[in-house]
């Protein structure tokens, strides 16, 4: 089964920066999309950024221009560089990895969609 582990969260002052990492491991054939979402207390989980295997990126309007998502396919890792952080960025940031598992005797690669446990980002002075 695919394991996803986030890291890099912490406490930062407004205007500061953090870089989150998300490493996927396991018996993975390929990874298509890797994305970050966040969950703040009392709020619904919202998508933050995503990146496809082809390098296409999508950002939520709230973070566009401040956050940058990137991936290292050799390490099965996705990063989220967060700059100019605001208090409203405070949340548990979760990583999702979507792709395909190795096929087993057939021509179809089973899909997977795995989430990490999340890493806390707190923006406060």
């Amino acid at each position: 089964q695919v394991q996803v582990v986030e890291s890099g969260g912490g406490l930062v002052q407004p205007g500061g920066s953090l870089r989150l990492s998300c490493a996927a491991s396991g018996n993975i054939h390929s990874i298509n999309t890797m994305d970050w979402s966040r969950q703040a207390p009392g709020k619904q989980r919202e998508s933050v950024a995503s990146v496809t295997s082809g390098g296409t990126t999508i950002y939520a309007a709230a973070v566009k221009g401040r956050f940058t998502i990137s991936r290292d396919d050799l390490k099965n890792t996705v990063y989220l560089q967060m700059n100019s952080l605001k208090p409203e960025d405070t949340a548990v940031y979760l990583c999702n990895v979507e792709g395909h598992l190795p096929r087993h005797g057939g021509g179809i690669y089973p899909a997977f969609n795995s989430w990490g446990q999340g890493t806390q980002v707190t923006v406060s002075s």
Side-chain angles (χ1 to χ4, degrees), residues 68-95:
T68 302
I69 189 170
S70 61
R71 61 191 285 169
D72 184 341
D73 290 337
L74 294 179
K75 299 180 179 179
N76 285 342
T77 299
V78 62
Y79 306 94
L80 185 67
Q81 178 66 48
M82 306 184 294
N83 298 325
S84 302
L85 284 162
K86 305 174 181 179
E88 49 263 46
D89 294 319
T90 297
V92 174
Y93 282 71
L94 301 114
C95 176

mmCIF file of all heavy atoms in Angstrom, residues 68-95:
data_model
loop_
_atom_site.group_PDB
_atom_site.id
_atom_site.type_symbol
_atom_site.label_atom_id
_atom_site.label_comp_id
_atom_site.label_asym_id
_atom_site.label_seq_id
_atom_site.Cartn_x
_atom_site.Cartn_y
_atom_site.Cartn_z
ATOM 1 N N THR A 68 4.304 27.806 -4.131
ATOM 2 C CA THR A 68 4.798 27.126 -5.310
ATOM 3 C C THR A 68 4.870 25.633 -5.041
ATOM 4 O O THR A 68 5.485 25.205 -4.063
ATOM 5 C CB THR A 68 6.194 27.632 -5.719
ATOM 6 O OG1 THR A 68 6.152 29.042 -5.966
ATOM 7 C CG2 THR A 68 6.655 26.924 -6.991
ATOM 8 N N ILE A 69 4.248 24.865 -5.903
ATOM 9 C CA ILE A 69 4.295 23.419 -5.772
ATOM 10 C C ILE A 69 5.272 22.855 -6.796
ATOM 11 O O ILE A 69 5.358 23.341 -7.920
ATOM 12 C CB ILE A 69 2.888 22.794 -5.947
ATOM 13 C CG1 ILE A 69 2.904 21.309 -5.588
ATOM 14 C CG2 ILE A 69 2.364 23.013 -7.365
ATOM 15 C CD1 ILE A 69 1.513 20.689 -5.505
ATOM 16 N N SER A 70 6.002 21.851 -6.394
ATOM 17 C CA SER A 70 6.953 21.211 -7.282
ATOM 18 C C SER A 70 7.067 19.744 -6.904
ATOM 19 O O SER A 70 6.622 19.333 -5.832
ATOM 20 C CB SER A 70 8.327 21.897 -7.217
ATOM 21 O OG SER A 70 8.863 21.828 -5.911
ATOM 22 N N ARG A 71 7.658 18.970 -7.773
ATOM 23 C CA ARG A 71 7.781 17.544 -7.502
ATOM 24 C C ARG A 71 9.112 17.008 -7.983
ATOM 25 O O ARG A 71 9.708 17.522 -8.935
ATOM 26 C CB ARG A 71 6.633 16.761 -8.148
ATOM 27 C CG ARG A 71 6.561 16.885 -9.660
ATOM 28 C CD ARG A 71 5.254 16.314 -10.191
ATOM 29 N NE ARG A 71 5.241 14.859 -10.183
ATOM 30 C CZ ARG A 71 4.151 14.118 -10.387
ATOM 31 N NH1 ARG A 71 2.973 14.728 -10.580
ATOM 32 N NH2 ARG A 71 4.223 12.797 -10.386
ATOM 33 N N ASP A 72 9.553 15.976 -7.311
ATOM 34 C CA ASP A 72 10.761 15.265 -7.663
ATOM 35 C C ASP A 72 10.352 13.818 -7.886
ATOM 36 O O ASP A 72 10.160 13.067 -6.930
ATOM 37 C CB ASP A 72 11.804 15.379 -6.560
ATOM 38 C CG ASP A 72 13.123 14.727 -6.926
ATOM 39 O OD1 ASP A 72 13.152 13.894 -7.853
ATOM 40 O OD2 ASP A 72 14.137 15.047 -6.285
ATOM 41 N N ASP A 73 10.201 13.448 -9.129
ATOM 42 C CA ASP A 73 9.696 12.114 -9.442
ATOM 43 C C ASP A 73 10.670 11.006 -9.054
ATOM 44 O O ASP A 73 10.251 9.883 -8.792
ATOM 45 C CB ASP A 73 9.361 12.015 -10.928
ATOM 46 C CG ASP A 73 8.141 12.828 -11.300
ATOM 47 O OD1 ASP A 73 7.314 13.105 -10.404
ATOM 48 O OD2 ASP A 73 7.998 13.190 -12.485
ATOM 49 N N LEU A 74 11.947 11.313 -9.026
ATOM 50 C CA LEU A 74 12.922 10.307 -8.631
ATOM 51 C C LEU A 74 12.786 9.951 -7.159
ATOM 52 O O LEU A 74 13.154 8.857 -6.746
ATOM 53 C CB LEU A 74 14.344 10.782 -8.925
ATOM 54 C CG LEU A 74 14.703 10.966 -10.403
ATOM 55 C CD1 LEU A 74 16.131 11.461 -10.534
ATOM 56 C CD2 LEU A 74 14.513 9.662 -11.159
ATOM 57 N N LYS A 75 12.263 10.880 -6.391
ATOM 58 C CA LYS A 75 12.083 10.666 -4.962
ATOM 59 C C LYS A 75 10.626 10.471 -4.573
ATOM 60 O O LYS A 75 10.330 10.294 -3.388
ATOM 61 C CB LYS A 75 12.655 11.843 -4.174
ATOM 62 C CG LYS A 75 14.149 12.060 -4.364
ATOM 63 C CD LYS A 75 14.634 13.246 -3.544
ATOM 64 C CE LYS A 75 16.127 13.449 -3.703
ATOM 65 N NZ LYS A 75 16.608 14.619 -2.923
ATOM 66 N N ASN A 76 9.743 10.515 -5.560
ATOM 67 C CA ASN A 76 8.308 10.430 -5.284
ATOM 68 C C ASN A 76 7.903 11.436 -4.218
ATOM 69 O O ASN A 76 7.166 11.121 -3.280
ATOM 70 C CB ASN A 76 7.919 9.011 -4.861
ATOM 71 C CG ASN A 76 7.891 8.040 -6.025
ATOM 72 O OD1 ASN A 76 7.836 8.442 -7.187
ATOM 73 N ND2 ASN A 76 7.928 6.757 -5.713
ATOM 74 N N THR A 77 8.392 12.631 -4.391
ATOM 75 C CA THR A 77 8.186 13.668 -3.393
ATOM 76 C C THR A 77 7.621 14.926 -4.035
ATOM 77 O O THR A 77 8.016 15.306 -5.144
ATOM 78 C CB THR A 77 9.504 14.006 -2.676
ATOM 79 O OG1 THR A 77 9.990 12.829 -2.013
ATOM 80 C CG2 THR A 77 9.301 15.097 -1.642
ATOM 81 N N VAL A 78 6.714 15.550 -3.334
ATOM 82 C CA VAL A 78 6.161 16.822 -3.756
ATOM 83 C C VAL A 78 6.441 17.845 -2.665
ATOM 84 O O VAL A 78 6.435 17.519 -1.472
ATOM 85 C CB VAL A 78 4.648 16.716 -4.048
ATOM 86 C CG1 VAL A 78 3.874 16.312 -2.799
ATOM 87 C CG2 VAL A 78 4.116 18.024 -4.614
ATOM 88 N N TYR A 79 6.689 19.063 -3.087
ATOM 89 C CA TYR A 79 7.006 20.127 -2.159
ATOM 90 C C TYR A 79 6.005 21.266 -2.306
ATOM 91 O O TYR A 79 5.423 21.477 -3.362
ATOM 92 C CB TYR A 79 8.411 20.675 -2.413
ATOM 93 C CG TYR A 79 9.494 19.627 -2.405
ATOM 94 C CD1 TYR A 79 9.917 19.027 -3.593
ATOM 95 C CD2 TYR A 79 10.094 19.231 -1.215
ATOM 96 C CE1 TYR A 79 10.908 18.068 -3.589
ATOM 97 C CE2 TYR A 79 11.092 18.267 -1.206
ATOM 98 C CZ TYR A 79 11.498 17.687 -2.395
ATOM 99 O OH TYR A 79 12.484 16.733 -2.392
ATOM 100 N N LEU A 80 5.844 21.983 -1.243
ATOM 101 C CA LEU A 80 5.040 23.189 -1.270
ATOM 102 C C LEU A 80 5.825 24.298 -0.604
ATOM 103 O O LEU A 80 5.978 24.302 0.622
ATOM 104 C CB LEU A 80 3.699 22.984 -0.558
ATOM 105 C CG LEU A 80 2.736 24.167 -0.645
ATOM 106 C CD1 LEU A 80 2.262 24.367 -2.084
ATOM 107 C CD2 LEU A 80 1.540 23.966 0.283
ATOM 108 N N GLN A 81 6.347 25.188 -1.407
ATOM 109 C CA GLN A 81 7.053 26.344 -0.889
ATOM 110 C C GLN A 81 6.037 27.425 -0.597
ATOM 111 O O GLN A 81 5.322 27.872 -1.493
ATOM 112 C CB GLN A 81 8.081 26.845 -1.906
ATOM 113 C CG GLN A 81 8.843 28.088 -1.465
ATOM 114 C CD GLN A 81 9.729 27.831 -0.271
ATOM 115 O OE1 GLN A 81 10.471 26.856 -0.246
ATOM 116 N NE2 GLN A 81 9.652 28.704 0.729
ATOM 117 N N MET A 82 5.967 27.836 0.640
ATOM 118 C CA MET A 82 4.984 28.808 1.072
ATOM 119 C C MET A 82 5.691 30.079 1.508
ATOM 120 O O MET A 82 6.459 30.069 2.468
ATOM 121 C CB MET A 82 4.132 28.249 2.212
ATOM 122 C CG MET A 82 3.469 26.919 1.894
ATOM 123 S SD MET A 82 2.371 26.353 3.214
ATOM 124 C CE MET A 82 3.577 26.079 4.519
ATOM 125 N N ASN A 83 5.426 31.139 0.797
ATOM 126 C CA ASN A 83 6.016 32.429 1.104
ATOM 127 C C ASN A 83 4.929 33.424 1.477
ATOM 128 O O ASN A 83 3.752 33.216 1.202
ATOM 129 C CB ASN A 83 6.809 32.957 -0.095
ATOM 130 C CG ASN A 83 7.960 32.070 -0.492
ATOM 131 O OD1 ASN A 83 8.611 31.466 0.351
ATOM 132 N ND2 ASN A 83 8.226 32.005 -1.797
ATOM 133 N N SER A 84 5.347 34.509 2.087
ATOM 134 C CA SER A 84 4.414 35.568 2.483
ATOM 135 C C SER A 84 3.219 35.006 3.227
ATOM 136 O O SER A 84 2.066 35.332 2.946
ATOM 137 C CB SER A 84 3.954 36.352 1.243
ATOM 138 O OG SER A 84 5.058 36.919 0.563
ATOM 139 N N LEU A 85 3.502 34.160 4.177
ATOM 140 C CA LEU A 85 2.443 33.474 4.900
ATOM 141 C C LEU A 85 1.585 34.440 5.700
ATOM 142 O O LEU A 85 2.069 35.429 6.251
ATOM 143 C CB LEU A 85 3.029 32.409 5.814
ATOM 144 C CG LEU A 85 3.483 31.144 5.088
ATOM 145 C CD1 LEU A 85 4.429 30.332 5.954
ATOM 146 C CD2 LEU A 85 2.268 30.311 4.694
ATOM 147 N N LYS A 86 0.315 34.118 5.747
ATOM 148 C CA LYS A 86 -0.671 34.910 6.451
ATOM 149 C C LYS A 86 -1.308 34.072 7.549
ATOM 150 O O LYS A 86 -1.324 32.845 7.462
ATOM 151 C CB LYS A 86 -1.754 35.391 5.486
ATOM 152 C CG LYS A 86 -1.240 36.147 4.279
ATOM 153 C CD LYS A 86 -2.378 36.454 3.321
ATOM 154 C CE LYS A 86 -1.885 37.199 2.100
ATOM 155 N NZ LYS A 86 -2.989 37.488 1.150
ATOM 156 N N PRO A 87 -1.850 34.711 8.567
ATOM 157 C CA PRO A 87 -2.529 33.945 9.616
ATOM 158 C C PRO A 87 -3.610 33.016 9.074
ATOM 159 O O PRO A 87 -3.813 31.923 9.620
ATOM 160 C CB PRO A 87 -3.117 35.031 10.515
ATOM 161 C CG PRO A 87 -2.170 36.172 10.368
ATOM 162 C CD PRO A 87 -1.768 36.145 8.910
ATOM 163 N N GLU A 88 -4.281 33.434 8.026
ATOM 164 C CA GLU A 88 -5.326 32.603 7.456
ATOM 165 C C GLU A 88 -4.797 31.365 6.750
ATOM 166 O O GLU A 88 -5.578 30.509 6.331
ATOM 167 C CB GLU A 88 -6.208 33.414 6.491
ATOM 168 C CG GLU A 88 -5.420 34.225 5.479
ATOM 169 C CD GLU A 88 -5.246 35.673 5.898
ATOM 170 O OE1 GLU A 88 -4.895 35.914 7.072
ATOM 171 O OE2 GLU A 88 -5.467 36.565 5.058
ATOM 172 N N ASP A 89 -3.492 31.266 6.613
ATOM 173 C CA ASP A 89 -2.888 30.055 6.070
ATOM 174 C C ASP A 89 -2.750 28.971 7.131
ATOM 175 O O ASP A 89 -2.381 27.836 6.810
ATOM 176 C CB ASP A 89 -1.510 30.349 5.475
ATOM 177 C CG ASP A 89 -1.577 31.257 4.256
ATOM 178 O OD1 ASP A 89 -2.491 31.072 3.425
ATOM 179 O OD2 ASP A 89 -0.706 32.145 4.136
ATOM 180 N N THR A 90 -3.013 29.319 8.363
ATOM 181 C CA THR A 90 -2.913 28.357 9.449
ATOM 182 C C THR A 90 -3.874 27.201 9.225
ATOM 183 O O THR A 90 -5.075 27.399 9.051
ATOM 184 C CB THR A 90 -3.211 29.020 10.795
ATOM 185 O OG1 THR A 90 -2.223 30.023 11.065
ATOM 186 C CG2 THR A 90 -3.198 27.998 11.923
ATOM 187 N N ALA A 91 -3.338 26.004 9.238
ATOM 188 C CA ALA A 91 -4.145 24.815 8.985
ATOM 189 C C ALA A 91 -3.259 23.585 9.062
ATOM 190 O O ALA A 91 -2.033 23.686 9.120
ATOM 191 C CB ALA A 91 -4.807 24.896 7.605
ATOM 192 N N VAL A 92 -3.907 22.452 9.065
ATOM 193 C CA VAL A 92 -3.201 21.203 8.853
ATOM 194 C C VAL A 92 -3.124 20.994 7.352
ATOM 195 O O VAL A 92 -4.146 20.986 6.666
ATOM 196 C CB VAL A 92 -3.912 20.012 9.520
ATOM 197 C CG1 VAL A 92 -3.222 18.707 9.138
ATOM 198 C CG2 VAL A 92 -3.928 20.182 11.032
ATOM 199 N N TYR A 93 -1.932 20.855 6.866
ATOM 200 C CA TYR A 93 -1.732 20.672 5.438
ATOM 201 C C TYR A 93 -1.573 19.191 5.137
ATOM 202 O O TYR A 93 -0.748 18.508 5.743
ATOM 203 C CB TYR A 93 -0.507 21.456 4.962
ATOM 204 C CG TYR A 93 -0.788 22.927 4.814
ATOM 205 C CD1 TYR A 93 -0.978 23.720 5.938
ATOM 206 C CD2 TYR A 93 -0.893 23.520 3.559
ATOM 207 C CE1 TYR A 93 -1.275 25.070 5.809
ATOM 208 C CE2 TYR A 93 -1.177 24.868 3.425
ATOM 209 C CZ TYR A 93 -1.368 25.635 4.551
ATOM 210 O OH TYR A 93 -1.652 26.977 4.422
ATOM 211 N N LEU A 94 -2.387 18.732 4.213
ATOM 212 C CA LEU A 94 -2.409 17.327 3.863
ATOM 213 C C LEU A 94 -1.971 17.121 2.432
ATOM 214 O O LEU A 94 -2.291 17.918 1.548
ATOM 215 C CB LEU A 94 -3.812 16.752 4.057
ATOM 216 C CG LEU A 94 -4.372 16.869 5.477
ATOM 217 C CD1 LEU A 94 -5.566 17.799 5.498
ATOM 218 C CD2 LEU A 94 -4.738 15.508 6.011
ATOM 219 N N CYS A 95 -1.271 16.056 2.233
ATOM 220 C CA CYS A 95 -0.771 15.708 0.920
ATOM 221 C C CYS A 95 -1.554 14.526 0.369
ATOM 222 O O CYS A 95 -1.822 13.562 1.084
ATOM 223 C CB CYS A 95 0.714 15.366 1.005
ATOM 224 S SG CYS A 95 1.451 14.792 -0.538
#
